[in-house]
Amino acid sequence: MSVSKTSANRVQRLWLLFPMVIIYLLIILPYGVEADSSTNVTNVGAIINFSSRIGKEQKTAMEIAAESFNNLSKTHKLILHFRDSGRDPFLAASAAEELIKEKKVEVIVGMDTWEEAAQVADLVGNQTQIPVISFAAPSITPPLMQHRWPFLIRIATDGYAQMKCIADIVSAYHWKTVVVVYEDDGYGGDVGMLALLTEALQDVGSKIEHRLVLPQISSLSNPNWVELEEMLRLPTMQSRVFIILQSSLPTVTNLFRLAGKMGLVGKESAWIITESIASLLEPQHTSDMKGTLGIRTFYANNTSSYTNFRKKFQTKYSEGNSAQPEIYALRAYDAIGIITQAIGKMTDNTISLEVLKTVLSSYTGLSANMRLNSGEVLSSPVFRIVNILDENRFQELNYWAPELGFSSDEAGENKFSDVGGVIWPGNLTGAPKGWAMPTVDKPMRIGVPGNTYFSKFVKVDLSRQDSDKKKYVGFCIAIFDMVINRLNYSLPYEFEVFDGLHDDLVERVHKKVYDAVVADITVLADRLDKVEFTQPYMESGLSMIVPAKPEKSTWMFMKPFTLQMWVVTGSIFIYTVFIIWFLERPLNPAFGGPLKNQIGTATWFTFSSLFFAHKEKIYSNLTRVVVIVWLFVVLSLTSSYTANLSSMLTVQRLKPNATYIDTNSKVGCDGDSFVIEYLQNVLGFKNIIKVKSEYNYPNEFKKKTIEAAFLELPYAEVFMNEYCEGYTATAPTYRFGGLSFIFQRGSPIVRDFSKVILELLENGEVKKLQNEWLTPKKECPRNATSNEPESLTLNSFTGLYVISAATSTLCFLLSFTIRLRRFQHQEAAQQGSASPSPTRETLSNKAVRMAKKIYTRQIDVPTRAPFFTFFAEEWSSPMWEYSTTSTTQHPHHTYNPTEIECIPIQSNPPTEINPTGSIPLNHRSSF
């Protein structure tokens, strides 16, 4: 009995050892047996997740790489020791310690998550100085990372580049908000990737509206995914652009099934999945994912090395012969390839970190061309966008690179603005709005203010029981209807009356009670953080209105010119009078007589030229030059003066009763407006009166309740259009953003509305509506807000005055020079005929004597000679002496300035003057 029992126990023990024998034969024997004593063995530890598809593909790829090396090498063998991490960082670290102590591994490869890689590198690599090659990297590289983990080498996808690619897709289709979906891994591994996506979206003007965190599949209590279905029921979630950062395949599959059931995968929706999901999809996973966009790292699949690897992979991979090796399998294959190349370069039969760095300085693998920098294997990332058409087809679209954007080739030569021809969910070829668009069953809710201070903008008449076109009227409603009719798609909506302030309406849209608001709402900085504004359809600014009376000025005729202009004009006039008198005095008989008569004649002649009424004859050519320029000045002055005075007398001019409003004055404003806070906080007014309606302002002014009213520019125009006879408005000094419609943040309707509003502004339709609703001509034909013509300043005539003054001065100097020379000739002639004087005359006395002679016409110049012959040789020759007939000998003689006697100095005696006062004909010289 005991013998049989003992035999049974032995048999039972043998059965227990049988699985271990099988494992030894299948796994350990191919890699754990040395060929002979002359063959060197390198042990490599591989820590992967046996239960995931990525882990299974990585294991197969590494086995293929090890077998290829062992078959080719006769002196060295590579043995792989696999351990399962189960995606647990602590199990991964424990497995690494066990591999180092028991298997004497020289390199550790694997770790699909950064948490696993950090634990292994921290607890194992830093202590034993064994190189660790991980397939994961942190989304955001910590500072001094290389100093903390000097033996860690990271081969992974660039997380920031992938998030930048997703942001460019969002920007290409003008999506403003997105919903981010990710599965909770229990270690917060999604935080870094989420931060990178947030930053990338902000760079393109988009934002994350909601984060949907999915529980791990093992934590779900109901196999029907009831918890996940409840998470998708988000009534306030308007965005329909879903980005799945990371998740397991079972979770993703059920997520799409439930989203399709709830109508989230269909018209106007867009779904984007990252590489960790897109690289693992199989036909059975994609039945509910039609129209989804995926991102995959591009690698060359047309090389002979890739073809050989793919054949071996499909033969060896246990999950199916049709499986295609993706980027994770290629990186695993390249990791073993790096180690095998390092084996050929090692000098002490040990794989050191320096040897691995030497290999990675220029390594070309199946996944990419690699180079090592600060512990991270870098490659220029190029992504390929794929489009899931159905359960059997994937459509490859454009490429994307960080510096190049979208292109049709991996080199980035043919650039595009989007990912290419996408078949979106619902078999749509046009880009979806990415928003929960209103339908007939669920129309857009639009808030309309029930009580308005200026009814011409929005007016609600709830007593009418007919259509909304009768209940809701006004300028804003008219523009909204015009925009709706010009949209290229249907937009069902319904108005809802709201009896509250405009700021409350903005809050309602911010809290997603209303989808939009149609009202006269001003664009303000603090409101931009809550809602989305369309292109303003009307400008806005703060205008002050005060009672006014027509301005009656006795000195209105002085207004066309400024005081400076009048002073300079008078100075030029006086200067011209002096020049004309100086030039005409010796020659013109009209300038004879006493000095006051001479000045009067010169002044009258110059002044009459202002009206082109002068009749006096001009004898001097220089005077003619001066007068020609002066007449041109007169023409410009009189024309400008007449035009400006006519404008001032024609345009209605109102004089405000109050020219200055201090902060203690009583001012009125719209009670439902931000202007109250603006007057208090910015302008510092203390006594602010809320006026209930536009029709109450005249009464408030009459009762002296307010001294001024501050209204936004659109309201001021409406008020002045009706009450322009008794009030005046200042031009808006303080500008605001304008009047606009508001929508929820991220709404794509804003862009469509803005485009149509710009078209209406450009073709003048808005101006027509403004004239029809706000400022009809029949109410007030004259607008008191028009700016009065300004007085003309000296700047407009400076050049003309300079030319006139310069011309007069030049003519004066020419005439003076000629007379000075004549004076010198006469002095020389007198000194030659008279006896020499014992005393010399002083310079001042000589100047006085010259002035007297000029004034008494004892010195004269020819007047008929051409202008440019003044300095001709015959004028300056000493052979001739010029004299004029003395007016003192013949007081009643009419002086003829053109008859001048020429007497030779040397021999001929002076010619006597005839009794008639004329010069003999043979001595006359006409110039």
Side-chain angles (χ1 to χ4, degrees), residues 158-168 193 196-197 200 245 274:
D158 188 348
Y160 179 74
Q162 190 172 187
M163 296 301 101
K164 183 68 170 62
C165 177
I166 293 176
D168 282 357
M193 197 69 77
L196 291 178
L197 179 61
L245 287 182
T274 55

Side-chain angles (χ1 to χ4, degrees), residues 623-853:
T623 308
R624 291 188 178 96
V625 174
V626 173
V627 172
I628 288 174
V629 177
W630 171 249
L631 289 178
F632 186 75
V633 174
V634 167
L635 177 63
S636 301
L637 288 176
T638 54
S639 301
S640 303
Y641 178 87
T642 304
N644 205 25
L645 181 61
S646 300
S647 300
M648 290 183 173
L649 294 176
T650 303
V651 177
Q652 179 187 9
R653 306 179 69 250
L654 298 179
K655 181 179 181 181
N657 287 339
T659 58
Y660 173 75
I661 301 296
D662 58 27
T663 56
N664 294 321
S665 303
K666 294 181 179 180
V667 297
C669 69
D670 183 0
D672 183 15
S673 172
F674 69 95
V675 177
I676 296 178
E677 295 183 359
Y678 191 86
L679 293 176
Q680 292 175 343
N681 303 331
V682 179
L683 302 184
F685 283 96
K686 301 177 179 61
N687 300 321
I688 301 176
I689 308 299
K690 296 181 180 179
V691 183
K692 296 182 178 180
S693 172
E694 60 178 305
Y695 305 106
N696 291 25
Y697 283 101
N699 295 331
E700 300 294 338
F701 277 118
K702 290 178 181 179
K703 295 187 297 184
K704 305 297 183 181
T705 306
I706 59 176
E707 300 177 34
F710 284 90
L711 298 177
E712 292 185 69
L713 181 59
Y715 309 141
E717 290 182 356
V718 173
F719 181 85
M720 292 304 301
N721 186 259
E722 297 185 7
Y723 305 103
C724 57
E725 296 295 340
Y727 301 90
T728 182
T730 62
T733 306
Y734 307 95
R735 295 284 181 177
F736 306 119
L739 301 187
S740 176
F741 301 131
I742 62 174
F743 291 83
Q744 292 182 10
R745 292 281 296 171
S747 174
I749 305 176
V750 175
R751 185 174 181 271
D752 299 335
F753 258 65
S754 297
K755 182 179 179 180
V756 176
I757 290 175
L758 286 174
E759 293 175 354
L760 295 176
L761 288 171
E762 292 170 2
N763 60 26
E765 294 294 332
V766 173
K767 184 62 177 178
K768 293 179 182 178
L769 289 177
Q770 182 177 345
N771 294 335
E772 178 183 352
W773 286 95
L774 304 181
T775 57
K777 297 181 180 179
K778 62 180 181 180
E779 294 188 11
C780 187
R782 292 176 296 175
N783 193 345
T785 60
S786 300
N787 292 328
E788 64 179 71
E790 296 182 355
S791 301
L792 298 176
T793 62
L794 183 62
N795 295 333
S796 304
F797 299 90
T798 301
L800 197 60
Y801 284 167
V802 169
I803 294 175
S804 177
T807 303
S808 300
T809 303
L810 179 62
C811 293
F812 170 79
L813 293 177
L814 288 174
S815 178
F816 182 79
T817 302
I818 293 173
R819 296 181 188 184
L820 180 61
R821 293 172 65 88
R822 292 296 308 119
F823 175 76
Q824 293 175 351
H825 291 164
Q826 290 181 2
E827 289 292 310
Q830 293 177 3
Q831 291 178 2
S833 60
S835 59
S837 177
T839 60
R840 293 185 178 182
E841 188 180 13
T842 62
L843 181 62
S844 59
N845 293 335
K846 189 174 183 179
V848 171
R849 188 162 53 83
M850 175 184 174
K852 288 181 178 180
K853 285 190 174 184

